[in-house]
């Protein structure tokens, strides 16, 4: 059940990012990446603190959550940095 809910959350945040790209809305795109970064950072904290979860699972899933949070935060900063430039979607 938890994996399904996390998947739905990630799907919703990803869809928000795709819609933002389609609309060429930089602020919406930045917020989508920022929301993903926060959600993954919370996942990391909860996994690190969860003593009920086996150590191997905490290491694997914690690493994935931390990496995902870092990448999403970097993208949010990148969008903010180039805020005035036109959004190129390659089409």
């Amino acid at each position: 059940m938890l994996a399904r809910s996390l998947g739905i959350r990630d799907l919703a945040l990803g869809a928000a990012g795709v819609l933002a790209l389609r609309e060429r809305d930089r602020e919406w795109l930045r917020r989508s990446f920022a929301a993903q970064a926060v959600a993954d950072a919370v996942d990391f904290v909860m996994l690190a603190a969860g003593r009920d979860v086996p150590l191997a699972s905490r290491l694997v899933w914690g690493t994935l959550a931390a990496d995902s949070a870092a990448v999403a935060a970097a993208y949010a900063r990148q969008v903010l940095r180039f805020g005035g430039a036109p959004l190129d979607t390659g089409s």
Side-chain angles (χ1 to χ4, degrees):
M1 184 63 159
L2 177 62
R4 191 177 315 160
S5 66
L6 292 176
I8 291 169
R9 179 200 70 197
D10 288 343
L11 179 65
L13 290 170
V18 169
L19 290 172
L21 279 173
R22 187 185 75 187
E23 297 298 318
R24 298 176 182 252
D25 187 330
R26 287 188 170 280
E27 183 59 21
W28 186 8
L29 183 61
R30 184 190 66 76
R31 288 179 185 213
S32 296
F33 281 128
Q36 186 68 51
V38 168
D40 288 335
V42 168
D43 290 347
F44 172 75
V45 169
M46 296 308 293
L47 279 165
R51 300 297 173 218
D52 304 3
V53 181
L55 179 60
S57 294
R58 280 189 283 159
L59 290 173
V60 170
W61 296 111
T63 299
L64 289 173
D67 288 348
S68 181
V71 168
Y75 278 130
R77 281 191 305 273
Q78 183 86 1
V79 170
L80 185 61
R81 190 170 126 204
F82 295 106
L87 191 58
D88 180 15
T89 58
S91 54

